Amino acid sequence: MNCRNLGPVDRALRAIVGLILISLTVVGPKSLWGLVGLVPLLTALVGFCPAYTLLGIKTCRTEDRTA
C-alpha cells in the first residue's frame, strides 16, 4: 500500500519553500521562526502530508495495480 499523497510538483514546491524558510535562520532576519521551514521540507521528503489526509486532498497520481 502506498501512503503518499503528494505529487512531484507539490513535493518540489514544498522543498523549495522549506529551504527558503530554513535559510532565514542564517541569512536575513536570522530568526528561529525559519525553522518552520522544516515542516514543508520534511513533508516533501516523505511525500506525505497529514493535513491533506484530513482534508481529503491527494495530488499524486494513483495507479490501480490488480494482479
Side-chain angles (χ1 to χ4, degrees):
M1 183 173 141
N2 191 359
C3 66
R4 294 185 174 189
N5 61 4
L6 296 177
V9 174
D10 196 0
R11 290 178 77 179
L13 290 173
R14 285 172 181 261
I16 291 168
V17 168
L19 290 173
I20 289 170
L21 289 173
I22 291 171
S23 72
L24 294 177
T25 61
V26 180
V27 181
K30 297 181 182 173
S31 169
L32 289 179
W33 279 104
L35 294 178
V36 171
L38 288 174
V39 174
L41 185 61
L42 289 175
T43 57
L45 292 174
V46 175
F48 177 76
C49 177
Y52 275 16
T53 301
L54 293 173
L55 298 172
I57 301 171
K58 194 168 193 177
T59 61
C60 69
R61 292 185 179 181
T62 57
E63 296 179 10
D64 185 22
R65 295 182 184 178
T66 56

